[in-house]
Amino acid sequence: MLHFNLLHPLTTNLSSMKKLRYPCFNLVREYNILFIKCFMILLLSCITIRLNFSISSIPFSLKSLPIEGNFSFDELDLKNAARDFGNRYRSHPMTVLHPKSVSDIAVTVKHVWSLGSSSRVTVAARGHGHSLQGQAQANGGVVINMESLKVEEIKVYGGEFPYVDVAGGELWIDILKETLRYGLAPRSWTDYLHLTVGGTLSNAGVSGQAFRHGPQISNVLKMEIVTGTGEVVNCSEDQNNELFYSVLGGLGQFGIITKARIKLEPAPVMVKWIRVLYSDFTAFTRDQEQLIFAEKAFDYVEGFVIKNRTGLVNNWRLSFNPQDPVQASKFISDGRTLFCLEVAKYFNLENTLEVNQEVEKHLSHLNYIQSTLFQTEVTYIDFLDRVHISEVKLRSKGLWDVPHPWLNLFIPKSKIHNFADTVFGNIVKETSNGPILIYPLNKSKWDERTSIVIPDEDIFYLVAFLASAVPSSNGEEGLEHILSQNKRILEYCEREDLGVKQYLAHYSTQEEWQTHYGPKWEIFKQRKSMYDPLAILAPGQGIFQKSITFSS
């Protein structure tokens, strides 16, 4: 009994020790977890403090740069830089640079590059702000107002091969006015001239003259570029040609265009401007294709789609004269989808008779609806600046600064009829919310060494859905309806594998961009790593993301 009593305490102690061992282990584990949590909180706090300190110090470091222009932190300035013509995307920059010299741009880009990959700051060059989906915006970065860059006066050079030297932020309308003083003008245009040189050359610059002279990027002799490392480089076909072709159509990914040398040609004084209608799409496209290869035919060839707009012909009477007023007044669309061929012939007054004969000859070979021939004569500058007249009218009605969910497509000739049957036959119900342009382009006038991607066929079509959304509308003129329609069009093109390429494209993932560029993607990537290794430039395009690292 005593033996039992002596052992009992020992047994009790051993049992107690076992019980104490596990709480001790649990306590250590809890201490470890607590320590890890504290360490992580401390680490994240340090990173946050460091990042915040870095960000807060950036405005000061920018302000200290030796520039002639200025950095603006004004809220109105930032707000303006955070919107564009598309009026759908908003990315507020940290500051807006108003440069007075190329050096201002180079110094700024070099400074941002020197901040390294640990900085979030990016740089976007903004021209006239006519982007559609935030392509010229830089969230939390630096937006460069290229229109502030007035490095020198527009300089026109005559001779056998005339050209003009201009700043990258110069508007095409101002270039036209200046070159006309010398009886000259650029050879290729966009439909809207209140755009900057750098902006259109970063895309392509397409209009009804492109079948003859190619896009604007096919009419550049030389450029001055600020690369993504802040280096100022002159480039041409013979000098630094890899950069030259990279930047043309390069969406701003490889450098900022600060100067450009543009080809010129003798400018006409007048334009004979003609519109005719077709109800047969095959006849319409056949005639368009015939005209872009015809000798001494028209200088401008475009077209557009008309659906459920019965009064359009009567509206033309405000500025166009019908060849046969009686027959034109009897024309009824009967709800058909119609196709308008729009052509122009440039001429000088002393050549009026000869031009009239040429126009009549070429019109006689076309298969349009005879009662729908409308024509007028206007000055060359009025013809080229025709969209601005519409802009003024829309602005007066408050209908210019609305969302513009545009969709621009390059479509191979072999697929254009399939596209038209489905899209114009089933998807698009009317064209009252904006024009739908459609016209052929000649691939031989495009330089494949540039960064632009186009269909792999000798002839391809530009089809542009240029809709304006009514903000308060929930119907067919509303933004959601137009976006839904655009999505259906793109899904159809992808599903049927039409080989379509978007122009002024916008994608949300790099995989989509890779598909867009196809065989050109590897070259595009190599050029990016060569000229903008930290992915500083043109972040709004969404092609490359600046990688953020935290060095020790």
Side-chain angles (χ1 to χ4, degrees):
M1 189 69 178
L2 180 61
H3 179 68
F4 177 80
N5 287 336
L6 287 172
L7 289 177
H8 187 265
L10 180 60
T11 306
T12 303
N13 288 340
L14 286 172
S15 177
S16 300
M17 287 177 66
K18 287 179 181 179
K19 288 179 181 178
L20 284 170
R21 189 184 307 163
Y22 291 102
C24 182
F25 174 79
N26 289 337
L27 190 60
V28 171
R29 185 175 64 179
E30 288 176 6
Y31 280 147
N32 287 339
I33 293 172
L34 183 61
F35 174 78
I36 292 170
K37 285 182 177 179
C38 291
F39 176 78
M40 291 302 296
I41 291 171
L42 182 62
L43 178 63
L44 291 172
S45 298
C46 289
I47 291 173
T48 303
I49 291 169
R50 180 176 177 181
L51 183 60
N52 288 337
F53 175 77
S54 175
I55 293 173
S56 64
S57 66
I58 288 170
F60 177 78
S61 67
L62 288 173
K63 290 177 182 178
S64 65
L65 294 178
I67 63 172
E68 298 174 51
N70 69 285
F71 289 99
S72 172
F73 296 88
D74 178 72
E75 187 58 35
L76 182 59
D77 229 6
L78 301 182
K79 186 177 180 181
N80 287 336
R83 65 188 300 273
D84 55 27
F85 179 71
N87 210 7
R88 294 173 51 216
Y89 289 75
R90 299 282 191 280
S91 292
H92 282 260
M94 173 180 59
T95 185
V96 176
L97 170 64
H98 297 279
K100 286 188 177 180
S101 67
V102 174
S103 175
D104 287 357
I105 296 174
V107 166
T108 299
V109 173
K110 191 164 193 174
H111 177 72
V112 173
W113 175 70
S114 71
L115 296 175
S117 58
S118 61
S119 166
R120 294 177 180 271
V121 181
T122 54
V123 178
R126 185 181 193 271
H128 203 56
H130 209 259
S131 300
L132 297 174
Q133 301 181 88
Q135 287 96 331
Q137 298 173 13
N139 188 37
V142 180
V143 168
I144 301 175
N145 177 15
M146 296 300 294
E147 288 186 275
S148 295
L149 181 65
K150 303 295 183 184
V151 290
E152 56 188 24
E153 296 296 320
I154 298 172
K155 292 184 178 179
V156 180
Y157 298 84
E160 185 179 357
F161 303 103
Y163 61 85
V164 59
D165 284 340
V166 297
E170 204 72 65
L171 294 179
W172 285 103
I173 181 63
D174 295 329
I175 296 168
L176 174 61
K177 290 176 180 177
E178 181 63 20
T179 55
L180 284 177
R181 292 178 58 232
Y182 300 83
L184 299 167
R187 309 194 306 172
S188 187
W189 298 98
T190 55
D191 285 324
Y192 182 58
L193 303 189
H194 295 252
L195 306 171
T196 59
V197 169
T200 63
L201 296 186
S202 294
N203 289 284
V206 184
S207 184
Q209 302 91 350
F211 76 91
R212 186 180 301 281
H213 296 296
Q216 289 182 318
I217 58 173
S218 293
N219 293 275
V220 183
L221 294 170
K222 185 178 180 181
M223 291 184 293
E224 179 186 74
I225 305 297
V226 176
T227 70
T229 60
E231 185 180 3
V232 181
V233 182
N234 287 306
C235 59
S236 65
E237 188 175 3
D238 302 317
Q239 178 186 16
N240 299 311
N241 62 358
E242 183 72 19
L243 178 61
F244 181 72
Y245 293 116
S246 298
V247 170
L248 293 172
L251 304 180
Q253 292 299 308
F254 313 107
I256 297 170
I257 301 171
T258 50
K259 295 179 187 176
R261 177 168 292 176
I262 311 296
K263 294 179 183 178
L264 300 177
E265 66 177 359
V269 175
M270 298 295 294
V271 174
K272 188 175 285 292
W273 187 5
I274 299 166
R275 287 176 175 173
V276 294
L277 289 177
Y278 293 74
S279 58
D280 185 313
F281 186 71
T282 299
F284 169 69
T285 54
R286 184 173 58 240
D287 283 356
Q288 279 193 322
E289 291 167 18
Q290 172 187 318
L291 289 175
I292 69 171
F293 291 104
E295 291 291 330
K296 292 186 177 180
F298 296 101
D299 300 289
Y300 162 99
V301 176
E302 284 198 10
F304 52 91
V305 182
I306 304 166
K307 195 160 187 175
N308 291 334
R309 297 184 67 185
T310 54
L312 186 65
V313 170
N314 286 330
N315 291 339
W316 286 357
R317 295 173 188 273
L318 297 174
S319 52
F320 287 81
N321 302 311
Q323 185 174 33
D324 189 336
V326 175
Q327 290 299 315
S329 66
K330 295 179 181 179
F331 177 76
I332 302 173
S333 67
D334 294 326
R336 292 173 293 176
T337 299
L338 299 172
F339 306 94
C340 173
L341 171 63
E342 184 173 43
V343 294
K345 181 71 174 175
Y346 305 156
F347 69 100
N348 294 320
L349 293 175
E350 62 269 24
N351 301 325
T352 301
L353 181 61
E354 179 187 350
V355 166
N356 285 340
Q357 291 172 346
E358 289 178 356
V359 167
E360 286 184 17
K361 181 185 76 171
H362 289 291
L363 287 176
S364 69
H365 297 151
L366 304 181
N367 295 292
Y368 59 90
I369 301 170
Q370 292 299 311
S371 62
T372 64
L373 173 59
F374 285 73
Q375 57 188 330
T376 189
E377 290 183 3
V378 296
T379 64
Y380 184 58
I381 192 169
D382 283 345
F383 173 72
L384 291 180
D385 202 28
R386 62 198 179 280
V387 175
H388 184 60
I389 297 171
S390 299
E391 176 190 351
V392 172
K393 292 178 181 177
L394 290 170
R395 282 191 184 278
S396 68
K397 298 176 182 178
L399 297 176
W400 183 257
D401 295 320
V402 298
H404 296 97
W406 287 6
L407 177 64
N408 297 272
L409 305 174
F410 289 142
I411 302 173
K413 171 189 170 181
S414 64
K415 303 295 184 181
I416 193 64
H417 286 81
N418 295 11
F419 180 90
D421 287 345
T422 298
V423 175
F424 304 142
N426 298 319
I427 297 177
V428 176
K429 303 301 181 185
E430 62 175 73
T431 56
S432 62
N433 56 11
I436 299 175
L437 303 184
I438 176 169
Y439 55 91
L441 297 163
N442 184 354
K443 185 183 178 183
S444 67
K445 304 296 183 180
W446 296 61
D447 195 319
E448 293 189 4
R449 291 172 292 184
T450 64
S451 292
I452 189 73
V453 283
I454 57 177
D456 191 20
E457 290 190 10
D458 291 340
I459 298 174
F460 59 96
Y461 278 77
L462 172 71
V463 181
F465 299 85
L466 309 181
S468 297
V470 178
S472 59
S473 174
N474 293 320
E476 294 187 349
E477 293 184 341
L479 178 61
E480 292 306 317
H481 173 82
I482 298 169
L483 290 174
S484 175
Q485 179 177 279
N486 289 349
K487 183 180 178 183
R488 288 180 63 196
I489 293 169
L490 291 173
E491 286 175 345
Y492 161 71
C493 293
E494 185 175 354
R495 184 171 63 250
E496 297 300 319
D497 194 22
L498 298 187
V500 169
K501 293 296 182 182
Q502 283 196 52
Y503 177 55
L504 308 177
H506 182 266
Y507 297 105
S508 56
T509 67
Q510 193 177 82
E511 288 73 23
E512 290 172 318
W513 280 109
Q514 184 173 346
T515 300
H516 171 75
Y517 280 102
K520 277 192 169 184
W521 174 246
E522 289 303 319
I523 296 174
F524 198 85
K525 275 202 312 181
Q526 289 169 12
R527 288 172 167 179
K528 184 68 172 178
S529 64
M530 187 184 307
Y531 300 116
D532 183 23
L534 293 184
I536 288 169
L537 301 177
Q541 294 284 357
I543 306 175
F544 300 97
Q545 298 296 322
K546 187 177 182 183
S547 57
I548 309 299
T549 59
F550 298 98
S551 56
S552 57

